[in-house]
Amino acid sequence: MTTAVRTTVPDTAGGGAGDTSPRRRARRYEALSGYLFVAPAVVLFLVMGVYTVGYGFALSFATWNGFTPDWTWVGLDNYADLLWRDPIYAPRVRHAALNTLWVMVAVPTLTVAVSFPLAVLLNQAKRMQSVLRSVYFVPYVTTGIAVFFAWQYILQPDGAINTLLDGLGLGSLAQPQGWLGNPHTALPTIIVVTVWSSVPVSMLLYLTGLQGIDRSVLEAAQLDGAGWWRTNASVVWPLLRPITAIVVLLNLRESLQGFQTFLVMTNGGPGDHTNVLGLEAYRLAFLKNLSPTLGLSSALGWILFAVALILALINLRALRSKT
Amino acid sequence: MTSISVKARPVTPDDARARRRRLIARTVVGVLLGLYGLVSVYPFLWMVSAAFKDQVEVVRGGHLIPQNPTFDTLVDTWNKLHFFDFFMNSLLVTVYTVVLTVVVYSAAGYAFAVLRFPGRGALQKLFVSLLFVPGVTVMLPIVMLENKLGILGTHFGLVLPFVNGGAPLSILLMTGAFLAVPSELRDSARVDGASELRIFTGVYLPLARPALITVALLTAIPTWNEYLLTRVSLNDPSTFTLPLGLQTLSSESVPHYNNLMAGALIVVIPVIVLFLSLQRYFVNGLVGAVKG
């Protein structure tokens, strides 16, 4: 910052010793303004972004409880402990990884399975489109603790979902312990809630993609005798593959790293049946009080980052080879 | 394109059948779309319903339409549980975050879009790369850092990471909007001797208004709903935002679902109103953001 202030002086003074041509002076003025315009963003980024990322990375190689003045450096021990060595944490991580894997398979698949047909149908309903689009968007806008409590409320033992099932004559499907209380239904239920909140953005992306398709392509398909199903399955779906790639990637990342729904709705229960890796990292960092698990939490966070990066690269590769 | 083959001909039974089939198809589509609309708002219907029920009725579960609808639950929740304070805290944090985001990143976006300076490309890439770092990985370092700086537990300590978190998206959107401004405007302003700041505020910002609104909305909504970092940062109930205030309701030994849902409704209504009134910008901005 101080250097920036100093260099403004020759400019405002009408040119220093080195500035002979006005062209060069203009270029210097422009570069200087450039630095001044990005300065606030860069300063914030250096402190809140770069510093914290570096700090977290360093912490993942240390043992610390957050209170003692010094870190104990342990090298890669945290990573080894999490992945296979520690008799307490390694099995927990493995269990959480399995749950996370389920979420990572189910959420993107179901989101695509719901949002693609929904977008196709919505694209045909010209008259109601804008109203319906707003209605479909409400889950995205409100995603957060309030709406998760609403889900919790309707999923309780005598909540609306069980009542609805009874009313439809499907009482045998109702869950007397509540949908989040039964170890077998808790994870699938959270998956459904997650899909519910991720459909809006995916549907919107598909809808934009659909509106970008050249009409003549569809008419050509129809002239060739393709019906509605055939056109959508063999023409529209392949054309929108790049959008599917984005939708899958966004949802994979969120499934891998997100845990807010789990924290609010079940806190990992019943009996760790809905514990996921993000939640485990959160617990190791914030719920262990005086245990020296902060390094472990950091290491787990970086493992999540590495997996996300690998997935993004695979996704990019797959996308490129097909187009 | 197809107009070549159009010929006037008498209506045949085939046409009637086709028309009927189209009508059936349209009805099926309408019903399916309507059903998903119901799925989308289902939890809200019960949220609203419970917020208008009293303690006795909410325990009995029962009907979506409250039998003795009452405003008492909402008024109760608002008054007794300090929801006014939580509301004001949320509003303050959101407004600060939005204003800072808009100011800081419109300036940065202007620099990236319009001004040439050494290191521009590298800086731009650095900001976008932030997108890939998981939130849970930096949460702990943020708390540690703020503790050192003495801003942990303050609203300012929330605003800084929120603003920084929005950097990639905001810069992307603002840069895109400024790139779309024709460079002739800028050149003529320069010839008139306008300063860089003058060109930015007088020419570029007014033209980028839709993008500014989009950035403001895409910042305001997640900030209003934010829960995780707030939960680990704030300790003093007088600083709590709405989501945290709501959380205190559910951690009672027996959650009173009518109060909890009334609280949830208080959290949700402002964002829904904001979304509905500005949804044109919101939807376009979201698509632009993900595409870019």
Side-chain angles (χ1 to χ4, degrees):
Chain A
M1 285 304 266
T2 44
T3 52
V5 173
R6 224 180 300 139
T7 40
T8 35
V9 179
D11 271 316
T12 45
D19 306 325
T20 36
S21 74
R23 187 104 164 266
R24 216 162 117 205
R25 214 167 64 206
R27 209 181 302 150
R28 260 183 59 184
Y29 172 73
E30 182 171 335
L32 187 68
S33 337
Y35 290 127
L36 286 177
F37 272 93
V38 291
V42 169
V43 170
L44 191 62
F45 180 70
L46 287 179
V47 178
M48 284 289 147
V50 177
Y51 176 87
T52 52
V53 167
Y55 185 100
F57 194 58
L59 183 58
S60 76
F61 301 105
T63 298
W64 194 40
N65 65 7
F67 297 98
T68 54
D70 293 310
W71 295 2
T72 313
W73 290 91
V74 294
L76 291 168
D77 277 8
N78 285 333
Y79 292 89
D81 282 350
L82 286 171
L83 293 175
W84 71 85
R85 223 169 49 191
D86 192 284
I88 302 167
Y89 295 118
R92 281 188 66 84
V93 166
R94 225 168 294 147
H95 179 72
L98 194 67
N99 286 337
T100 310
L101 194 67
W102 274 115
V103 179
M104 285 170 67
V105 172
V107 168
T109 314
L110 289 174
T111 302
V112 169
V114 174
S115 54
F116 177 71
L118 194 65
V120 168
L121 294 182
L122 189 59
N123 196 35
Q124 284 166 358
K126 297 271 180 283
R127 225 175 313 155
M128 293 294 287
Q129 207 183 84
S130 67
V131 175
L132 282 171
R133 210 172 53 183
S134 312
V135 172
Y136 294 159
F137 237 77
V138 168
Y140 173 83
V141 180
T142 54
T143 275
I145 174 169
V147 79
F148 297 142
F149 280 143
W151 274 104
Q152 217 179 35
Y153 171 55
I154 62 177
L155 290 164
Q156 317 173 74
D158 39 62
I161 302 282
N162 277 347
T163 316
L164 180 73
L165 286 172
D166 280 333
L168 292 173
L170 298 167
S172 58
L173 290 177
Q175 295 295 322
Q177 304 147 275
W179 289 81
L180 298 170
N182 179 343
H184 298 294
T185 55
L187 189 63
T189 304
I190 295 195
I191 287 174
V192 169
V193 174
T194 310
V195 171
W196 175 84
S197 36
S198 76
V199 160
V201 172
S202 313
M203 182 269 307
L204 187 69
L205 287 173
Y206 275 123
L207 197 62
T208 333
L210 283 169
Q211 286 166 354
I213 291 180
D214 197 346
R215 285 216 60 86
S216 61
V217 176
L218 300 181
E219 274 159 20
Q222 263 145 23
L223 279 181
D224 286 346
W228 187 85
W229 277 112
R230 202 55 213 281
T231 313
N232 282 311
S234 320
V235 181
V236 176
W237 171 251
L239 279 175
L240 294 187
R241 195 172 286 147
I243 293 179
T244 307
I246 295 176
V247 168
V248 168
L249 186 64
L250 285 177
N251 282 297
L252 270 180
R253 257 197 54 204
E254 186 49 37
S255 309
L256 182 66
Q257 299 168 351
F259 60 95
Q260 188 172 254
T261 326
F262 296 80
L263 178 71
V264 176
M265 285 179 55
T266 61
N267 198 11
D272 274 341
H273 278 276
T274 58
N275 195 23
V276 285
L277 290 173
L279 186 57
E280 188 64 25
Y282 174 85
R283 286 175 163 173
L284 287 171
F286 295 103
L287 299 178
K288 292 284 181 179
N289 292 323
L290 285 167
S291 330
T293 54
L294 297 185
L296 276 176
S297 166
S298 249
L300 186 51
W302 284 101
I303 293 173
L304 291 178
F305 172 71
V307 177
L309 205 65
I310 293 168
L311 286 174
L313 291 177
I314 294 175
N315 201 286
L316 214 66
R317 208 3 121 57
L319 186 62
R320 204 174 290 155
S321 65
K322 274 184 187 129
T323 43
Chain B
M1 257 168 266
T2 46
S3 59
I4 312 156
S5 59
V6 170
K7 258 184 279 173
R9 59 191 168 87
V11 178
T12 64
D14 266 2
D15 286 347
R17 203 176 305 146
R19 197 179 307 145
R20 195 159 7 145
R21 205 190 287 161
R22 228 174 308 142
L23 192 71
I24 292 171
R26 210 179 296 159
T27 316
V28 171
V29 168
V31 168
L32 287 175
L33 288 174
L35 271 180
Y36 200 80
L38 206 60
V39 171
S40 287
V41 297
Y42 193 67
F44 297 98
L45 297 180
W46 286 93
M47 189 196 281
V48 174
S49 150
F52 288 96
K53 286 176 180 169
D54 58 26
Q55 199 60 65
V56 182
E57 200 186 340
V58 85
V59 172
R60 270 194 280 121
H63 298 283
L64 182 62
I65 311 289
Q67 264 148 356
N68 313 301
T70 164
F71 265 108
D72 288 355
T73 304
L74 265 172
V75 174
D76 235 40
T77 312
W78 179 258
N79 289 334
K80 278 197 209 139
L81 300 158
H82 312 292
F83 263 63
F84 178 73
D85 296 340
F86 300 147
F87 189 92
M88 289 315 285
N89 287 336
S90 274
L91 196 66
L92 220 61
V93 170
T94 306
V95 168
Y96 286 153
T97 305
V98 168
V99 169
L100 256 181
T101 300
V102 166
V103 170
V104 171
Y105 298 121
S106 63
Y110 179 74
F112 285 134
V114 175
L115 302 170
R116 328 256 129 230
F117 56 93
R120 184 176 69 148
L123 263 182
Q124 215 169 352
K125 284 200 191 86
L126 204 65
F127 275 112
V128 176
S129 69
L130 196 69
L131 268 175
F132 288 96
V133 181
V136 67
T137 319
V138 287
M139 220 153 78
L140 183 66
I142 287 177
V143 170
M144 293 294 163
L145 173 70
E146 299 205 328
N147 198 15
K148 258 187 231 163
L149 297 175
I151 53 171
L152 186 66
T154 65
H155 289 157
F156 186 60
L158 288 177
V159 169
L160 284 188
F162 289 168
V163 171
N164 186 58
L169 194 71
S170 315
I171 290 182
L172 226 60
L173 284 170
M174 290 318 302
T175 309
F178 290 138
L179 278 175
V181 176
S183 60
E184 288 82 9
L185 283 176
R186 166 187 170 71
D187 294 338
S188 67
R190 268 194 177 166
V191 170
D192 291 346
S195 71
E196 222 40 82
L197 190 65
R198 197 61 237 268
I199 301 175
F200 170 59
T201 53
V203 180
Y204 276 73
L205 276 186
L207 286 172
R209 217 183 55 172
L212 285 173
I213 297 177
T214 304
V215 168
L217 264 174
L218 287 178
T219 309
I221 289 174
T223 306
W224 184 266
N225 290 327
E226 212 282 340
Y227 171 67
L228 286 172
L229 188 66
T230 316
R231 169 166 161 166
V232 300
S233 302
L234 302 183
N235 262 320
D236 178 0
S238 72
T239 61
F240 279 10
T241 55
L242 275 175
L244 271 196
L246 191 59
Q247 208 251 314
T248 58
L249 282 188
S250 93
S251 47
E252 290 165 19
S253 52
V254 185
H256 297 311
Y257 267 108
N258 58 339
N259 288 125
L260 192 58
M261 290 303 106
L265 198 61
I266 294 169
V267 177
V268 154
I269 279 182
V271 273
I272 291 190
V273 170
L274 194 68
F275 162 66
L276 288 181
S277 53
L278 294 167
Q279 64 149 314
R280 186 161 51 101
Y281 297 103
F282 186 82
V283 168
N284 292 343
L286 209 62
V287 171
V290 185
K291 261 199 200 155

